[in-house]
Amino acid sequence: MLKGDMEVMYLSANEIEQLEGVEKQHFLNPEALRINKSLGDAVGLRNLGVHQVLVPAGHYSTEYHVHYYEEECIYILSGTGVATLGDQQQRIGPGDFIGCPINGQAHDMFNDGTEPLVCLVIGQRLEQDVTDYPKLGKRLSRNSGEWTVVEHAAITTVRRKKA
Amino acid sequence: MLKGDMEVMYLSANEIEQLEGVEKQHFLNPEALRINKSLGDAVGLRNLGVHQVLVPAGHYSTEYHVHYYEEECIYILSGTGVATLGDQQQRIGPGDFIGCPINGQAHDMFNDGTEPLVCLVIGQRLEQDVTDYPKLGKRLSRNSGEWTVVEHAAITTVRRKKA
Amino acid sequence: MLKGDMEVMYLSANEIEQLEGVEKQHFLNPEALRINKSLGDAVGLRNLGVHQVLVPAGHYSTEYHVHYYEEECIYILSGTGVATLGDQQQRIGPGDFIGCPINGQAHDMFNDGTEPLVCLVIGQRLEQDVTDYPKLGKRLSRNSGEWTVVEHAAITTVRRKKA
Amino acid sequence: MLKGDMEVMYLSANEIEQLEGVEKQHFLNPEALRINKSLGDAVGLRNLGVHQVLVPAGHYSTEYHVHYYEEECIYILSGTGVATLGDQQQRIGPGDFIGCPINGQAHDMFNDGTEPLVCLVIGQRLEQDVTDYPKLGKRLSRNSGEWTVVEHAAITTVRRKKA
């Protein structure tokens, strides 16, 4: 067994079960609630975020959003719910996979069932990212650990992206 | 449903099942064999590699290796086997998680059972990486799509890493 | 000679003299004016910006600013002026060098002489940068070619940088 | 004046003159010799290398080489010599500029005059780079501070770069 070693590379299913989850409410949406276990942190990953996320019944996984830089994806482990992907609604369940290409469609998940919705959420960890929250009309900029938010209405676009 | 749309973000468990797997033999180890389904490619991810990997009974997942730059991790979906993590042997099964921090211990998995070993293998996709294969005494350098291999014995170290 | 070849790596002093400069007024400051010759572009550099910049008498080189990510430096070739570096004023002339570490002091140059102030301005070319203009109370975000500006007063800081 | 401050952003021409140069012989070529003053280090730059380089009469600036990743360029301040750019010879003197696009032509400079050849050498500082020395048939790999060298003859190319 590697337990007790300085470098832990392995977590058994049982050890993951025993990990204490961290309750996280989204800073822009009190209805978005998750119990988070960072598997990646537990084994020393730094550039990949790998989380076992439990969304309680009646809650969103996150505020509806889209990233500019950080790719993200979700693999459903158990439970059911509905994902909003752009303007589409998609029922989701165990073994389903959702990819969130950057600069694409905004997305969230809602647990409309009675059981917890449990999934692996995997994402890049970049020093810089920009995240848009279209329903709230807000933009988050993350720069080396500093998070700032502005209203979309306060943003002046000086030059457009090249196509 | 998003199927038929230009942007596919969602794959159901059934659609993943129907995806045609690609058989991949490791270029340095004919006993390392996997049937690979790139979930990430199917949904347009570019910086994260997300693969459903099936290792048939009696095969290795890959040649025993360690990366310099690309972080990697594995979540076991079904089947059993044994992971070699550095000089440790670890039995693995459904729901277990393995992280592969860079510049750490080399690793591989072997399916010593009778059922397929199926896992999610997730990794960064970087333009540059260096991979060591300690059992073979070889080093792979990947540079913007060009792969070159040298024997460890042919490498002269001019300066050591700073601690 | 390499002239006429597809790959031009060399520009003589005379060829640099003959290059047509591009007049650039700063988008936030009409008094900041430069005649710009991109030496780096002329020789096919993509990640380094290398410019011969001429600031006419009575003009600023740029709006007083500081970058979050893109390092920049200046080597004075001819002429004189005054650089503002944070809250310090510094007279500058030929052979002087100014470095602009990121997240440091804001800076600009003013040509208070009668001759043109000519310098090499060298900087990283990154896909993302954030630039603060403290005198104007504005922040520029550049993201993959899209430039957006917000007033500092419109920015809410949600989390501080780790020290 | 900023001298004495914790953050030095400014070096006068006279201060640069007074800086003590570091003599550097190329690790693969004893005839390649430079007296190096790192202007970038002196002002706290981390991602850009900016050096005032003096090549004594009768010496090469460096071993003939080409980088895979790190862009580099040279601005001649004083003295004369000859640059080898691919298979071309180019006389060089004050005010000339040389750009070294990555994966392009190999290059070096030779001071065939009687005065020192003094130039600004500017380059990216990346964590990883690969450098080929075509005349020596050697390849240097730099990975996070570790330098390793192999003979070209010892390299097996497994996959070619995509065009």
Side-chain angles (χ1 to χ4, degrees):
Chain A
M1 291 290 292
L2 290 176
K3 294 306 100 91
D5 288 12
M6 283 191 53
E7 291 182 59
V8 174
M9 293 176 71
Y10 169 75
L11 294 172
S12 70
N14 188 51
E15 286 167 331
I16 293 171
E17 183 66 30
Q18 302 301 321
L19 279 179
E20 188 169 10
V22 179
E23 186 173 303
K24 294 197 173 182
Q25 192 182 48
H26 195 279
F27 76 105
L28 292 175
N29 182 347
E31 290 183 68
L33 194 72
R34 47 167 72 187
I35 314 296
N36 193 74
K37 297 180 179 182
S38 177
L39 308 188
D41 284 352
V43 296
L45 301 182
R46 303 171 67 95
N47 302 321
L48 291 174
V50 184
H51 304 272
Q52 194 215 67
V53 169
L54 182 154
V55 183
H59 285 279
Y60 287 91
S61 61
T62 179
E63 172 61 20
Y64 181 73
H65 73 284
V66 60
H67 292 281
Y68 276 43
Y69 292 101
E70 283 187 343
E71 284 190 353
E72 186 184 348
C73 61
I74 301 155
Y75 185 85
I76 312 298
L77 295 173
S78 66
T80 59
V82 58
T84 301
L85 307 172
D87 57 3
Q88 313 269 346
Q89 304 272 308
Q90 176 62 55
R91 290 218 59 80
I92 52 176
D96 293 355
F97 181 73
I98 296 170
C100 309
I102 54 178
N103 297 306
Q105 302 296 314
H107 54 271
D108 66 13
M109 295 186 291
F110 181 70
N111 183 347
D112 61 356
T114 54
E115 300 299 312
L117 173 65
V118 183
C119 43
L120 286 179
V121 178
I122 297 139
Q124 292 179 276
R125 281 185 170 167
L126 301 178
E127 198 177 333
Q128 291 175 277
D129 188 51
V130 178
T131 309
D132 271 324
Y133 300 98
K135 290 183 182 170
L136 303 179
K138 290 181 189 288
R139 178 173 298 178
L140 169 67
S141 295
R142 289 196 301 95
N143 287 300
S144 308
E146 185 180 76
W147 295 27
T148 57
V149 174
V150 295
E151 302 279 334
H152 285 172
I155 298 171
T156 303
T157 299
V158 179
R159 292 190 197 169
R160 291 284 166 195
K161 281 190 200 191
K162 295 158 195 165
Chain B
M1 293 289 292
L2 289 175
K3 295 304 101 92
D5 287 13
M6 282 192 55
E7 292 184 56
V8 174
M9 293 176 72
Y10 169 74
L11 294 172
S12 69
N14 189 52
E15 286 167 331
I16 294 171
E17 182 67 29
Q18 301 303 319
L19 278 180
E20 187 170 10
V22 179
E23 186 174 303
K24 295 197 173 182
Q25 192 182 46
H26 195 278
F27 77 106
L28 291 175
N29 182 348
E31 291 182 66
L33 194 73
R34 48 167 72 185
I35 313 295
N36 192 76
K37 296 180 179 182
S38 177
L39 308 188
D41 284 352
V43 297
L45 301 183
R46 304 170 66 95
N47 302 322
L48 291 174
V50 184
H51 304 272
Q52 193 215 68
V53 168
L54 180 155
V55 183
H59 284 279
Y60 287 91
S61 62
T62 178
E63 172 61 21
Y64 181 73
H65 73 282
V66 60
H67 291 281
Y68 276 44
Y69 292 100
E70 282 186 343
E71 284 191 351
E72 187 184 346
C73 61
I74 300 156
Y75 185 85
I76 313 296
L77 295 173
S78 65
T80 59
V82 59
T84 302
L85 307 172
D87 57 3
Q88 313 269 346
Q89 304 273 307
Q90 176 62 56
R91 290 219 58 80
I92 52 175
D96 293 355
F97 180 72
I98 297 170
C100 309
I102 53 177
N103 298 305
Q105 302 296 314
H107 54 271
D108 65 13
M109 296 186 291
F110 181 70
N111 182 347
D112 62 356
T114 54
E115 299 300 312
L117 174 64
V118 183
C119 44
L120 285 180
V121 178
I122 298 139
Q124 292 180 278
R125 281 186 170 166
L126 301 178
E127 197 177 335
Q128 291 175 275
D129 187 51
V130 178
T131 309
D132 271 324
Y133 300 97
K135 291 184 182 172
L136 302 179
K138 291 179 189 288
R139 179 174 296 176
L140 169 69
S141 295
R142 290 196 302 93
N143 286 300
S144 308
E146 184 181 77
W147 295 28
T148 57
V149 174
V150 295
E151 302 280 334
H152 285 171
I155 299 171
T156 302
T157 299
V158 180
R159 292 190 198 170
R160 292 282 165 197
K161 283 188 200 194
K162 296 158 197 167
Chain C
M1 294 290 291
L2 289 177
K3 295 303 101 91
D5 288 13
M6 283 192 54
E7 290 184 59
V8 174
M9 293 175 72
Y10 169 75
L11 294 171
S12 70
N14 188 52
E15 286 166 331
I16 293 171
E17 182 66 30
Q18 301 302 321
L19 279 179
E20 187 169 10
V22 178
E23 185 174 304
K24 294 196 174 183
Q25 193 182 47
H26 195 278
F27 77 104
L28 291 175
N29 182 348
E31 290 181 67
L33 194 72
R34 47 167 72 186
I35 313 295
N36 193 76
K37 296 179 180 183
S38 177
L39 308 189
D41 284 352
V43 297
L45 300 183
R46 302 171 69 93
N47 302 322
L48 292 173
V50 184
H51 303 273
Q52 193 215 67
V53 168
L54 182 155
V55 183
H59 285 279
Y60 287 93
S61 60
T62 180
E63 172 61 20
Y64 180 74
H65 73 284
V66 60
H67 292 282
Y68 276 43
Y69 292 100
E70 283 187 343
E71 284 191 352
E72 186 184 347
C73 62
I74 301 155
Y75 185 86
I76 312 297
L77 295 172
S78 66
T80 59
V82 58
T84 301
L85 307 173
D87 58 2
Q88 313 270 345
Q89 303 273 308
Q90 176 62 56
R91 290 219 57 80
I92 52 175
D96 294 354
F97 181 73
I98 296 170
C100 308
I102 53 178
N103 297 306
Q105 302 296 316
H107 53 272
D108 66 12
M109 296 185 291
F110 182 70
N111 183 347
D112 63 355
T114 55
E115 301 299 314
L117 174 64
V118 183
C119 44
L120 286 180
V121 178
I122 297 139
Q124 292 179 277
R125 281 186 169 166
L126 301 178
E127 198 177 333
Q128 290 175 277
D129 188 52
V130 178
T131 309
D132 270 325
Y133 299 98
K135 290 184 182 170
L136 302 180
K138 290 180 189 288
R139 178 173 297 177
L140 170 67
S141 295
R142 291 196 300 95
N143 286 301
S144 309
E146 184 180 78
W147 295 28
T148 57
V149 175
V150 296
E151 302 279 334
H152 285 173
I155 298 171
T156 303
T157 298
V158 179
R159 293 191 196 169
R160 292 282 166 197
K161 281 188 202 193
K162 296 158 197 166
Chain D
M1 294 288 292
L2 290 176
K3 294 306 100 94
D5 287 13
M6 282 192 53
E7 291 185 57
V8 174
M9 292 175 72
Y10 169 75
L11 295 171
S12 70
N14 188 53
E15 287 166 330
I16 294 170
E17 183 66 29
Q18 301 302 320
L19 279 180
E20 187 169 11
V22 178
E23 186 174 303
K24 294 198 174 181
Q25 192 183 46
H26 195 278
F27 76 106
L28 291 175
N29 182 348
E31 291 182 67
L33 194 73
R34 47 167 72 185
I35 314 296
N36 192 76
K37 296 179 179 182
S38 178
L39 308 188
D41 284 351
V43 297
L45 300 184
R46 303 170 67 94
N47 301 322
L48 291 174
V50 185
H51 304 273
Q52 194 214 67
V53 168
L54 181 154
V55 183
H59 284 280
Y60 287 92
S61 61
T62 179
E63 172 61 20
Y64 181 73
H65 73 282
V66 59
H67 291 281
Y68 276 44
Y69 292 100
E70 282 187 343
E71 284 191 352
E72 186 184 347
C73 61
I74 301 155
Y75 184 85
I76 313 296
L77 295 172
S78 65
T80 58
V82 58
T84 301
L85 307 172
D87 56 3
Q88 313 269 345
Q89 303 274 308
Q90 176 62 55
R91 290 219 58 80
I92 52 175
D96 294 355
F97 180 73
I98 297 170
C100 308
I102 53 176
N103 297 306
Q105 302 297 314
H107 54 272
D108 66 14
M109 296 187 290
F110 181 71
N111 182 348
D112 62 356
T114 55
E115 300 300 313
L117 173 64
V118 183
C119 43
L120 286 179
V121 178
I122 298 138
Q124 292 180 277
R125 281 186 170 166
L126 301 179
E127 198 176 332
Q128 292 175 276
D129 188 50
V130 178
T131 310
D132 271 323
Y133 300 97
K135 290 183 182 171
L136 302 179
K138 290 180 189 288
R139 178 173 296 175
L140 170 68
S141 294
R142 290 196 301 93
N143 286 302
S144 308
E146 184 181 76
W147 295 27
T148 56
V149 174
V150 295
E151 302 279 334
H152 284 173
I155 299 171
T156 303
T157 299
V158 180
R159 291 189 197 170
R160 293 281 166 196
K161 281 188 199 192
K162 296 158 195 164

